[in-house]
Amino acid sequence: MADVDIKYATPEAIEQVLQGKTPAGSGWKDGVDGTELNNAYSACAGPIMPSPNGRLPG
């Protein structure tokens, strides 16, 4: 997920987060599409499907 943040967030926003601060503005680079960002984060998590028996794997 850090790769997504590095790709889409401004360097200033990343620095502010590392300092424990909330980034000013959105923190995303100009032109970042919300759908594109959501898809990138979803790709990190992989598919989310309910378990047929209601239990988590492992």
Side-chain angles (χ1 to χ4, degrees), residues 13-41:
I14 293 170
E15 183 63 32
Q16 290 170 338
V17 169
L18 291 174
Q19 294 175 3
K21 300 176 183 175
T22 301
S26 72
W28 302 115
K29 293 176 182 174
D30 290 337
V32 172
D33 179 281
T35 302
E36 180 181 359
L37 186 60
N38 188 41
N39 290 342
Y41 277 124

Side-chain angles (χ1 to χ4, degrees), residues 1-8 28 37 40-45:
M1 292 184 86
D3 290 340
V4 174
D5 292 333
I6 291 169
K7 182 176 180 179
Y8 294 104
W28 302 115
L37 186 60
Y41 277 124
S42 294
C44 292

